[in-house]
Amino acid sequence: MHTDRIRNTSLLDRVKEVSEVLDLFQDGMVIASSGFTKAGDSKVILPALAANNTSRPIKITLITGASLGHETDAKLTEAGVLARRMPFQVDKVLRKAINRGDVLFVDQNLSETSEMLLDHHLPEIDIAIIEAAYITAEGGIVPTTSVGNSPIFADKAKKVIIEINTAVQTNVHGLHDIYLPEAYPNRKAIEIFRPNDRIGSAVINVEPEKIAAIVLSHQQDSPADIAVIDDKTAAIAHHLIDFFTEEVKNGRLSKSLRPLQAGIGKVANAVLTGLAESDFEGLTMFSEVLQDSAFDLIDAGKLTFASAASITVSAACYQRVFDNLEKYKDKVVLRPQSISNAPEVIRRLGIIGINTAIEFDIYGNVNSSHIAGTQMMNGIGGSGDFARNAHISIFVTQAASKENKISHVLPMVTHVDHNEHNVDVVVTDVGYADLRGLAPRERALKIIGNCVHPDYKEELQSYFDRAVAEIGGQTPHLLDEAFLWHKRFRENGSMKAR
Protein backbone atom coordinates (compact mmCIF):
# COMPACT_ATOMS: atom_id res chain seq x y z
CA MET A 1 0.00 0.00 0.00
CA HIS A 2 1.57 3.27 -1.22
CA THR A 3 5.03 1.69 -0.99
CA ASP A 4 6.15 3.29 -4.25
CA ARG A 5 5.54 6.72 -2.74
CA ILE A 6 6.31 5.94 0.91
CA ARG A 7 9.43 3.85 0.71
CA ASN A 8 10.16 4.15 4.41
CA THR A 9 7.65 1.55 5.56
CA SER A 10 7.78 2.72 9.18
CA LEU A 11 5.79 5.77 8.03
CA LEU A 12 2.95 3.89 6.34
CA ASP A 13 0.78 4.03 9.43
CA ARG A 14 0.79 7.84 9.29
CA VAL A 15 -1.22 7.96 6.07
CA LYS A 16 -4.49 9.73 6.80
CA GLU A 17 -7.46 11.24 5.05
CA VAL A 18 -7.50 15.04 4.83
CA SER A 19 -10.48 15.21 7.20
CA GLU A 20 -8.47 13.38 9.85
CA VAL A 21 -5.70 15.98 10.03
CA LEU A 22 -7.80 19.13 10.28
CA ASP A 23 -8.10 18.83 14.07
CA LEU A 24 -4.33 19.33 14.28
CA PHE A 25 -4.83 22.97 13.31
CA GLN A 26 -5.78 25.25 16.19
CA ASP A 27 -6.64 28.92 16.50
CA GLY A 28 -3.64 31.23 16.62
CA MET A 29 -1.19 28.74 15.12
CA VAL A 30 1.67 29.62 12.81
CA ILE A 31 1.39 27.44 9.73
CA ALA A 32 4.07 27.14 7.06
CA SER A 33 3.41 25.68 3.63
CA SER A 34 5.52 24.77 0.66
CA GLY A 35 4.82 26.65 -2.54
CA PHE A 36 6.69 29.18 -4.63
CA THR A 37 4.88 31.09 -7.41
CA LYS A 38 2.10 28.50 -7.68
CA ALA A 39 4.55 25.58 -7.82
CA GLY A 40 4.78 22.79 -5.26
CA ASP A 41 2.05 24.23 -3.02
CA SER A 42 -0.47 22.50 -0.77
CA LYS A 43 -3.17 21.06 -3.02
CA VAL A 44 -5.57 19.58 -0.44
CA ILE A 45 -4.87 20.54 3.17
CA LEU A 46 -5.00 24.34 2.97
CA PRO A 47 -8.16 24.30 0.77
CA ALA A 48 -9.75 21.84 3.21
CA LEU A 49 -8.83 24.12 6.11
CA ALA A 50 -10.71 26.94 4.37
CA ALA A 51 -13.73 24.74 3.69
CA ASN A 52 -13.79 23.54 7.31
CA ASN A 53 -13.67 27.00 8.88
CA THR A 54 -17.43 27.41 9.05
CA SER A 55 -17.82 24.45 11.40
CA ARG A 56 -14.70 25.16 13.48
CA PRO A 57 -13.51 28.74 12.99
CA ILE A 58 -9.81 29.45 13.49
CA LYS A 59 -7.37 32.16 12.42
CA ILE A 60 -3.76 31.46 11.56
CA THR A 61 -0.52 33.06 10.45
CA LEU A 62 0.47 31.58 7.10
CA ILE A 63 4.07 31.61 5.87
CA THR A 64 5.04 30.27 2.45
CA GLY A 65 7.91 30.54 0.00
CA ALA A 66 6.00 32.91 -2.28
CA SER A 67 2.55 32.84 -3.88
CA LEU A 68 0.14 29.89 -3.87
CA GLY A 69 -1.93 28.46 -6.69
CA HIS A 70 -5.46 27.07 -7.04
CA GLU A 71 -6.95 30.25 -5.52
CA THR A 72 -5.91 28.92 -2.12
CA ASP A 73 -5.17 32.37 -0.70
CA ALA A 74 -8.59 33.54 -1.88
CA LYS A 75 -10.34 30.56 -0.26
CA LEU A 76 -8.50 31.08 3.03
CA THR A 77 -9.28 34.81 2.95
CA GLU A 78 -12.97 34.40 2.17
CA ALA A 79 -13.27 31.78 4.91
CA GLY A 80 -11.70 34.16 7.42
CA VAL A 81 -8.78 31.83 8.18
CA LEU A 82 -5.94 34.29 7.58
CA ALA A 83 -4.95 36.66 10.36
CA ARG A 84 -1.43 37.29 9.03
CA ARG A 85 0.33 36.38 5.79
CA MET A 86 3.97 36.49 4.64
CA PRO A 87 6.20 36.95 2.65
CA PHE A 88 4.55 37.32 -0.81
CA GLN A 89 1.19 36.90 -2.56
CA VAL A 90 -0.48 37.61 -5.89
CA ASP A 91 -4.14 36.87 -5.11
CA LYS A 92 -6.73 39.58 -5.87
CA VAL A 93 -9.06 38.60 -3.03
CA LEU A 94 -6.25 38.50 -0.49
CA ARG A 95 -4.84 41.77 -1.84
CA LYS A 96 -8.14 43.55 -1.19
CA ALA A 97 -8.29 42.14 2.35
CA ILE A 98 -4.73 43.31 2.99
CA ASN A 99 -5.52 46.82 1.78
CA ARG A 100 -8.69 46.92 3.91
CA GLY A 101 -6.60 45.95 6.92
CA ASP A 102 -8.49 42.66 7.40
CA VAL A 103 -5.33 40.58 6.92
CA LEU A 104 -1.95 41.76 8.16
CA PHE A 105 0.68 41.31 5.48
CA VAL A 106 4.41 41.17 6.18
CA ASP A 107 6.19 42.01 2.92
CA GLN A 108 9.70 40.54 2.95
CA ASN A 109 12.67 40.14 0.68
CA LEU A 110 12.41 36.47 -0.23
CA SER A 111 15.86 35.66 1.14
CA GLU A 112 14.91 36.97 4.59
CA THR A 113 12.19 34.60 5.79
CA SER A 114 14.55 31.68 6.21
CA GLU A 115 17.08 33.88 8.00
CA MET A 116 14.46 35.21 10.41
CA LEU A 117 13.26 31.70 11.23
CA LEU A 118 16.82 30.51 11.70
CA ASP A 119 17.56 33.38 14.08
CA HIS A 120 14.22 33.03 15.98
CA HIS A 121 13.04 36.47 14.90
CA LEU A 122 9.64 35.03 13.98
CA PRO A 123 7.26 32.95 16.11
CA GLU A 124 7.81 29.20 16.10
CA ILE A 125 6.12 27.23 13.33
CA ASP A 126 3.48 24.90 14.73
CA ILE A 127 2.82 22.88 11.57
CA ALA A 128 4.63 22.73 8.23
CA ILE A 129 2.85 21.33 5.18
CA ILE A 130 5.33 20.06 2.59
CA GLU A 131 4.40 18.75 -0.85
CA ALA A 132 6.50 15.77 -1.95
CA ALA A 133 6.76 13.39 -4.87
CA TYR A 134 7.69 10.57 -2.50
CA ILE A 135 9.51 9.67 0.69
CA THR A 136 12.76 7.74 0.29
CA ALA A 137 13.60 4.53 2.16
CA GLU A 138 15.79 6.64 4.44
CA GLY A 139 12.89 9.00 5.18
CA GLY A 140 14.00 11.91 2.97
CA ILE A 141 11.32 14.11 1.40
CA VAL A 142 11.67 14.45 -2.37
CA PRO A 143 10.15 17.84 -3.29
CA THR A 144 8.07 18.37 -6.40
CA THR A 145 8.22 21.48 -8.60
CA SER A 146 9.62 23.94 -6.08
CA VAL A 147 11.85 24.07 -3.04
CA GLY A 148 11.24 27.59 -1.74
CA ASN A 149 11.31 27.69 2.06
CA SER A 150 10.37 24.03 2.54
CA PRO A 151 13.74 22.95 4.05
CA ILE A 152 13.69 25.58 6.81
CA PHE A 153 9.99 24.90 7.44
CA ALA A 154 10.63 21.18 7.87
CA ASP A 155 13.61 21.89 10.12
CA LYS A 156 11.93 24.41 12.41
CA ALA A 157 8.32 23.19 12.61
CA LYS A 158 7.03 21.35 15.65
CA LYS A 159 5.04 19.02 13.39
CA VAL A 160 5.22 18.22 9.68
CA ILE A 161 2.44 17.04 7.39
CA ILE A 162 3.58 15.65 4.05
CA GLU A 163 1.31 15.93 1.03
CA ILE A 164 2.43 13.28 -1.45
CA ASN A 165 1.31 14.40 -4.89
CA THR A 166 1.04 11.36 -7.16
CA ALA A 167 0.48 13.61 -10.18
CA VAL A 168 4.23 14.34 -10.05
CA GLN A 169 6.42 11.55 -11.34
CA THR A 170 9.03 10.07 -9.02
CA ASN A 171 11.81 10.85 -11.52
CA VAL A 172 11.93 14.41 -10.14
CA HIS A 173 14.38 12.92 -7.64
CA GLY A 174 17.75 14.46 -8.42
CA LEU A 175 16.31 17.74 -9.67
CA HIS A 176 16.84 19.45 -6.30
CA ASP A 177 19.88 20.69 -4.38
CA ILE A 178 18.91 21.13 -0.73
CA TYR A 179 21.27 23.15 1.42
CA LEU A 180 20.55 25.19 4.54
CA PRO A 181 23.07 27.80 5.72
CA GLU A 182 24.23 27.39 9.28
CA ALA A 183 23.05 29.62 12.11
CA TYR A 184 25.26 32.52 13.18
CA PRO A 185 28.03 32.76 14.33
CA ASN A 186 28.97 29.49 12.62
CA ARG A 187 27.87 30.45 9.10
CA LYS A 188 30.07 28.98 6.37
CA ALA A 189 30.60 30.22 2.84
CA ILE A 190 27.99 29.08 0.30
CA GLU A 191 30.35 27.45 -2.17
CA ILE A 192 28.51 28.08 -5.41
CA PHE A 193 30.86 29.46 -8.07
CA ARG A 194 28.80 28.59 -11.17
CA PRO A 195 25.04 28.19 -11.60
CA ASN A 196 25.40 24.43 -12.08
CA ASP A 197 27.35 23.81 -8.85
CA ARG A 198 25.58 21.47 -6.41
CA ILE A 199 26.43 21.69 -2.73
CA GLY A 200 23.64 19.87 -0.90
CA SER A 201 21.33 16.88 -0.82
CA ALA A 202 18.65 15.68 -3.25
CA VAL A 203 16.10 15.43 -0.41
CA ILE A 204 14.76 17.39 2.54
CA ASN A 205 15.65 15.57 5.72
CA VAL A 206 13.15 15.67 8.58
CA GLU A 207 13.08 13.97 11.95
CA PRO A 208 10.65 11.02 11.58
CA GLU A 209 9.00 11.70 14.95
CA LYS A 210 7.92 15.15 13.72
CA ILE A 211 5.88 13.70 10.85
CA ALA A 212 2.34 13.94 12.18
CA ALA A 213 0.56 12.75 9.04
CA ILE A 214 0.93 11.88 5.38
CA VAL A 215 -1.87 12.84 2.99
CA LEU A 216 -2.14 11.83 -0.66
CA SER A 217 -3.14 14.16 -3.48
CA HIS A 218 -3.21 13.97 -7.25
CA GLN A 219 -3.25 17.44 -8.80
CA GLN A 220 -0.89 19.41 -10.99
CA ASP A 221 0.26 22.92 -10.13
CA SER A 222 -1.86 25.83 -11.24
CA PRO A 223 -0.61 26.75 -14.71
CA ALA A 224 1.20 30.03 -15.15
CA ASP A 225 -0.64 32.76 -17.01
CA ILE A 226 1.54 33.44 -20.02
CA ALA A 227 0.48 36.75 -21.54
CA VAL A 228 0.96 37.29 -25.23
CA ILE A 229 3.90 39.51 -26.03
CA ASP A 230 2.52 42.89 -27.15
CA ASP A 231 4.15 45.85 -28.85
CA LYS A 232 5.24 47.46 -25.58
CA THR A 233 6.81 44.35 -24.05
CA ALA A 234 8.48 43.54 -27.36
CA ALA A 235 9.91 47.06 -27.46
CA ILE A 236 11.23 46.73 -23.90
CA ALA A 237 12.92 43.46 -24.85
CA HIS A 238 14.39 45.09 -27.96
CA HIS A 239 15.86 48.00 -25.98
CA LEU A 240 17.30 45.66 -23.36
CA ILE A 241 18.94 43.53 -26.01
CA ASP A 242 20.36 46.73 -27.51
CA PHE A 243 21.87 47.49 -24.10
CA PHE A 244 23.42 44.02 -23.87
CA THR A 245 24.77 44.35 -27.41
CA GLU A 246 26.42 47.64 -26.48
CA GLU A 247 27.97 46.03 -23.40
CA VAL A 248 29.48 43.28 -25.57
CA LYS A 249 30.70 45.84 -28.11
CA ASN A 250 32.46 47.76 -25.34
CA GLY A 251 34.07 44.62 -23.94
CA ARG A 252 32.20 44.63 -20.63
CA LEU A 253 30.28 41.44 -21.40
CA SER A 254 30.76 38.44 -23.65
CA LYS A 255 28.09 36.87 -25.86
CA SER A 256 27.19 34.56 -22.97
CA LEU A 257 26.57 37.68 -20.81
CA ARG A 258 26.58 36.83 -17.08
CA PRO A 259 24.09 34.56 -15.27
CA LEU A 260 20.61 36.04 -15.71
CA GLN A 261 17.86 36.58 -13.19
CA ALA A 262 14.44 37.54 -14.47
CA GLY A 263 11.32 38.24 -12.43
CA ILE A 264 8.05 36.58 -13.38
CA GLY A 265 5.52 38.05 -15.80
CA LYS A 266 5.08 38.99 -19.42
CA VAL A 267 7.96 41.46 -19.57
CA ALA A 268 10.47 38.90 -18.29
CA ASN A 269 9.12 36.35 -20.74
CA ALA A 270 9.41 38.86 -23.57
CA VAL A 271 13.01 39.64 -22.67
CA LEU A 272 14.01 35.99 -22.54
CA THR A 273 12.11 35.24 -25.74
CA GLY A 274 13.99 38.11 -27.38
CA LEU A 275 17.27 36.50 -26.35
CA ALA A 276 16.26 33.35 -28.24
CA GLU A 277 16.21 35.38 -31.44
CA SER A 278 19.47 37.23 -30.69
CA ASP A 279 23.14 36.48 -31.30
CA PHE A 280 23.76 35.70 -27.62
CA GLU A 281 24.66 32.10 -26.79
CA GLY A 282 25.96 29.92 -23.98
CA LEU A 283 23.61 31.69 -21.55
CA THR A 284 23.02 30.65 -17.95
CA MET A 285 20.42 31.59 -15.34
CA PHE A 286 20.57 31.93 -11.57
CA SER A 287 17.06 33.05 -10.79
CA GLU A 288 14.01 32.37 -8.62
CA VAL A 289 11.51 31.01 -11.15
CA LEU A 290 11.85 29.19 -14.44
CA GLN A 291 9.06 30.16 -16.83
CA ASP A 292 8.20 28.86 -20.31
CA SER A 293 10.78 31.12 -21.90
CA ALA A 294 13.63 29.50 -19.95
CA PHE A 295 12.76 26.10 -21.41
CA ASP A 296 12.31 27.67 -24.85
CA LEU A 297 15.87 28.97 -24.55
CA ILE A 298 17.11 25.53 -23.49
CA ASP A 299 15.34 23.93 -26.45
CA ALA A 300 16.81 26.57 -28.77
CA GLY A 301 20.30 25.71 -27.55
CA LYS A 302 20.81 29.21 -26.14
CA LEU A 303 20.57 28.43 -22.42
CA THR A 304 23.01 25.84 -21.12
CA PHE A 305 21.96 25.76 -17.45
CA ALA A 306 19.29 27.26 -15.21
CA SER A 307 19.13 27.39 -11.41
CA ALA A 308 15.99 28.51 -9.56
CA ALA A 309 13.66 27.86 -6.62
CA SER A 310 10.68 26.72 -8.70
CA ILE A 311 9.36 25.77 -12.11
CA THR A 312 6.21 27.77 -12.90
CA VAL A 313 5.05 27.20 -16.45
CA SER A 314 1.97 27.00 -18.64
CA ALA A 315 0.03 23.73 -18.92
CA ALA A 316 1.54 22.97 -22.32
CA CYS A 317 5.10 23.65 -21.13
CA TYR A 318 4.49 21.58 -17.97
CA GLN A 319 3.72 18.53 -20.10
CA ARG A 320 6.69 19.22 -22.38
CA VAL A 321 9.09 19.42 -19.44
CA PHE A 322 7.82 16.76 -17.07
CA ASP A 323 6.97 14.21 -19.75
CA ASN A 324 10.59 14.54 -20.93
CA LEU A 325 12.30 15.38 -17.67
CA GLU A 326 15.43 13.34 -18.35
CA LYS A 327 16.11 15.72 -21.25
CA TYR A 328 16.29 18.67 -18.84
CA LYS A 329 17.64 17.23 -15.57
CA ASP A 330 21.28 17.94 -16.41
CA LYS A 331 20.39 21.53 -17.33
CA VAL A 332 18.18 22.54 -14.37
CA VAL A 333 18.42 22.59 -10.59
CA LEU A 334 15.92 23.72 -7.94
CA ARG A 335 17.24 25.19 -4.68
CA PRO A 336 15.90 26.69 -1.45
CA GLN A 337 15.19 30.41 -1.83
CA SER A 338 17.73 31.09 0.89
CA ILE A 339 20.26 29.97 -1.75
CA SER A 340 18.62 31.12 -4.99
CA ASN A 341 18.31 34.61 -3.45
CA ALA A 342 21.45 34.59 -1.31
CA PRO A 343 23.22 37.98 -1.53
CA GLU A 344 26.59 36.27 -1.21
CA VAL A 345 26.00 34.06 -4.25
CA ILE A 346 24.32 36.75 -6.33
CA ARG A 347 27.33 39.03 -5.85
CA ARG A 348 29.88 36.27 -6.45
CA LEU A 349 28.30 35.09 -9.71
CA GLY A 350 27.94 38.60 -11.10
CA ILE A 351 24.24 38.23 -11.80
CA ILE A 352 22.40 40.44 -14.29
CA GLY A 353 19.11 41.11 -12.49
CA ILE A 354 16.04 42.03 -14.55
CA ASN A 355 12.97 43.00 -12.53
CA THR A 356 9.70 44.82 -13.09
CA ALA A 357 8.82 48.22 -11.65
CA ILE A 358 5.38 49.68 -11.05
CA GLU A 359 6.97 53.11 -11.47
CA PHE A 360 10.33 54.83 -11.24
CA ASP A 361 11.26 58.47 -10.87
CA ILE A 362 13.66 60.81 -12.61
CA TYR A 363 16.49 59.85 -10.25
CA GLY A 364 16.06 56.10 -10.60
CA ASN A 365 14.20 55.26 -7.39
CA VAL A 366 11.88 52.29 -8.00
CA ASN A 367 8.48 51.39 -6.58
CA SER A 368 7.72 47.72 -7.20
CA SER A 369 5.04 46.97 -4.61
CA HIS A 370 2.52 49.79 -3.96
CA ILE A 371 -0.04 51.59 -6.11
CA ALA A 372 -0.09 55.32 -5.28
CA GLY A 373 2.11 54.62 -2.29
CA THR A 374 -0.60 52.91 -0.22
CA GLN A 375 -2.26 49.98 -2.01
CA MET A 376 -0.21 46.78 -1.85
CA MET A 377 0.00 44.84 -5.10
CA ASN A 378 2.01 41.64 -4.59
CA GLY A 379 5.07 42.50 -2.55
CA ILE A 380 8.76 43.12 -3.09
CA GLY A 381 9.43 39.45 -3.79
CA GLY A 382 13.03 38.71 -4.65
CA SER A 383 13.71 41.91 -6.56
CA GLY A 384 15.45 43.52 -3.60
CA ASP A 385 17.79 40.56 -3.12
CA PHE A 386 18.99 40.94 -6.69
CA ALA A 387 18.83 44.74 -7.02
CA ARG A 388 21.23 45.31 -4.14
CA ASN A 389 23.69 42.58 -5.08
CA ALA A 390 23.57 42.12 -8.85
CA HIS A 391 26.46 42.97 -11.15
CA ILE A 392 23.96 44.95 -13.22
CA SER A 393 20.57 45.80 -11.68
CA ILE A 394 17.94 46.47 -14.36
CA PHE A 395 14.31 47.54 -13.90
CA VAL A 396 11.75 47.49 -16.67
CA THR A 397 8.25 48.91 -17.10
CA GLN A 398 6.08 50.44 -19.79
CA ALA A 399 6.42 54.22 -20.12
CA ALA A 400 2.67 54.79 -19.85
CA SER A 401 -0.50 52.69 -19.54
CA LYS A 402 -4.31 52.88 -19.42
CA GLU A 403 -4.54 54.72 -22.74
CA ASN A 404 -1.49 56.69 -21.59
CA LYS A 405 -3.40 58.20 -18.69
CA ILE A 406 -0.78 56.85 -16.28
CA SER A 407 2.90 57.66 -16.63
CA HIS A 408 5.23 55.12 -15.07
CA VAL A 409 8.11 57.61 -15.03
CA LEU A 410 7.41 60.30 -12.45
CA PRO A 411 8.91 63.25 -10.60
CA MET A 412 8.99 61.19 -7.40
CA VAL A 413 7.85 57.64 -6.64
CA THR A 414 5.17 57.27 -3.99
CA HIS A 415 6.89 54.30 -2.35
CA VAL A 416 10.55 53.30 -2.54
CA ASP A 417 11.45 49.62 -2.68
CA HIS A 418 14.77 50.09 -4.50
CA ASN A 419 16.57 53.37 -4.06
CA GLU A 420 18.67 55.01 -6.75
CA HIS A 421 21.88 53.50 -5.33
CA ASN A 422 20.73 50.00 -6.29
CA VAL A 423 19.42 50.73 -9.79
CA ASP A 424 21.84 50.64 -12.72
CA VAL A 425 19.61 50.59 -15.80
CA VAL A 426 15.95 51.47 -16.38
CA VAL A 427 14.11 50.39 -19.51
CA THR A 428 10.71 51.31 -20.97
CA ASP A 429 9.17 50.74 -24.38
CA VAL A 430 10.52 54.19 -25.31
CA GLY A 431 14.17 53.39 -24.59
CA TYR A 432 16.74 52.68 -21.89
CA ALA A 433 18.86 54.79 -19.56
CA ASP A 434 22.22 53.51 -18.34
CA LEU A 435 22.61 55.25 -14.98
CA ARG A 436 25.93 53.77 -13.89
CA GLY A 437 28.39 56.36 -12.68
CA LEU A 438 25.97 59.26 -13.06
CA ALA A 439 25.14 61.89 -10.45
CA PRO A 440 21.44 62.55 -9.72
CA ARG A 441 21.13 65.50 -12.09
CA GLU A 442 22.75 63.49 -14.87
CA ARG A 443 20.46 60.54 -14.16
CA ALA A 444 17.41 62.78 -14.43
CA LEU A 445 18.43 64.11 -17.83
CA LYS A 446 19.19 60.61 -19.13
CA ILE A 447 15.86 59.18 -17.90
CA ILE A 448 13.78 62.09 -19.20
CA GLY A 449 15.58 62.01 -22.52
CA ASN A 450 15.40 58.23 -23.07
CA CYS A 451 12.52 56.64 -21.17
CA VAL A 452 9.51 58.96 -20.83
CA HIS A 453 6.35 58.69 -22.91
CA PRO A 454 6.05 61.69 -25.31
CA ASP A 455 2.83 62.85 -23.64
CA TYR A 456 4.72 63.52 -20.39
CA LYS A 457 8.23 64.39 -21.52
CA GLU A 458 7.84 68.17 -21.76
CA GLU A 459 6.21 68.53 -18.36
CA LEU A 460 8.74 66.26 -16.68
CA GLN A 461 11.58 68.25 -18.18
CA SER A 462 9.93 71.44 -16.92
CA TYR A 463 9.61 69.96 -13.43
CA PHE A 464 13.32 69.15 -13.34
CA ASP A 465 14.44 72.48 -14.81
CA ARG A 466 12.37 74.46 -12.31
CA ALA A 467 13.53 72.28 -9.41
CA VAL A 468 17.14 72.99 -10.36
CA ALA A 469 16.51 76.73 -10.75
CA GLU A 470 14.27 77.29 -7.72
CA ILE A 471 15.48 74.74 -5.16
CA GLY A 472 18.80 73.33 -6.28
CA GLY A 473 20.56 70.71 -4.21
CA GLN A 474 22.08 67.34 -4.97
CA THR A 475 18.67 65.90 -5.86
CA PRO A 476 16.41 68.82 -6.86
CA HIS A 477 12.69 68.43 -6.14
CA LEU A 478 9.64 70.67 -6.00
CA LEU A 479 7.95 69.14 -2.98
CA ASP A 480 4.67 70.94 -3.63
CA GLU A 481 4.49 69.27 -7.05
CA ALA A 482 6.28 65.97 -6.49
CA PHE A 483 3.03 63.95 -6.21
CA LEU A 484 0.87 66.24 -8.32
CA TRP A 485 0.58 63.66 -11.09
CA HIS A 486 -0.82 61.06 -8.70
CA LYS A 487 -3.25 63.64 -7.32
CA ARG A 488 -4.46 64.41 -10.84
CA PHE A 489 -5.06 60.76 -11.55
CA ARG A 490 -7.02 60.30 -8.33
CA GLU A 491 -9.20 63.32 -9.09
CA ASN A 492 -9.45 63.26 -12.89
CA GLY A 493 -8.57 59.72 -13.96
CA SER A 494 -5.46 60.91 -15.79
CA MET A 495 -1.99 62.13 -14.86
CA LYS A 496 -1.95 64.53 -17.81
CA ALA A 497 -2.18 68.26 -17.23
CA ARG A 498 -5.49 69.60 -18.54
Side-chain angles (χ1 to χ4, degrees), residues 226 262-265 268-269 289-296 312-313 317:
I226 304 300
I264 63 171
N269 257 320
V289 181
L290 301 184
Q291 299 184 94
D292 288 37
S293 50
F295 293 97
D296 292 341
T312 303
V313 291
C317 187

Side-chain angles (χ1 to χ4, degrees), residues 229-263:
I229 296 174
D230 57 24
D231 290 344
K232 288 186 177 182
T233 52
I236 291 169
H238 174 77
H239 294 311
L240 190 49
I241 290 169
D242 281 350
F243 166 74
F244 290 146
T245 301
E246 195 68 18
E247 289 295 284
V248 173
K249 179 181 176 181
N250 291 325
R252 290 189 287 266
L253 291 174
S254 70
K255 282 197 172 183
S256 61
L257 304 178
R258 296 276 177 87
L260 298 169
Q261 175 264 336

Side-chain angles (χ1 to χ4, degrees), residues 339-476:
I339 304 301
S340 68
N341 291 49
E344 170 193 349
V345 180
I346 293 167
R347 181 62 62 92
R348 180 185 298 126
L349 296 182
I351 302 298
I352 297 173
I354 307 167
N355 289 286
T356 303
I358 291 175
E359 60 188 19
F360 60 83
D361 66 26
I362 57 176
Y363 297 111
N365 299 291
V366 170
N367 171 15
S368 63
S369 62
H370 285 72
I371 301 298
T374 60
Q375 301 294 304
M376 170 60 66
M377 276 295 290
N378 302 326
I380 194 171
S383 57
D385 298 319
F386 288 91
R388 179 66 185 92
N389 300 288
H391 170 65
I392 305 176
S393 172
I394 302 169
F395 280 91
V396 299
T397 188
Q398 54 192 319
S401 64
K402 305 294 184 184
E403 299 178 333
N404 300 327
K405 293 177 182 178
I406 297 176
S407 175
H408 294 267
V409 188
L410 299 155
M412 182 184 287
V413 290
T414 54
H415 177 91
V416 179
D417 290 294
H418 315 285
N419 64 49
E420 61 184 276
H421 308 293
N422 299 333
V423 179
D424 296 318
V425 181
V426 289
V427 187
T428 70
D429 50 298
V430 173
Y432 74 84
D434 182 354
L435 308 176
R436 293 173 296 178
L438 300 185
R441 296 188 187 204
E442 295 173 304
R443 294 163 74 97
L445 292 173
K446 183 69 72 75
I447 288 171
I448 295 169
N450 293 8
C451 299
V452 180
H453 189 277
D455 289 358
Y456 296 93
K457 191 169 185 176
E458 183 178 347
E459 186 180 1
L460 203 52
Q461 183 68 56
S462 171
Y463 173 89
F464 174 70
D465 291 341
R466 287 181 293 113
V468 170
E470 297 172 22
I471 304 299
Q474 165 78 353
T475 309

Side-chain angles (χ1 to χ4, degrees), residues 35 52 73 90 139 160 215-216 246 305 334 380 388 416 468-469:
N52 189 59
D73 270 323
V90 298
V160 175
V215 173
L216 299 180
E246 195 68 18
F305 197 86
L334 297 182
I380 194 171
R388 179 66 185 92
V416 179
V468 170

Side-chain angles (χ1 to χ4, degrees), residues 47 166 177 193 265 359 410 440:
T166 58
D177 184 41
F193 304 100
E359 60 188 19
L410 299 155

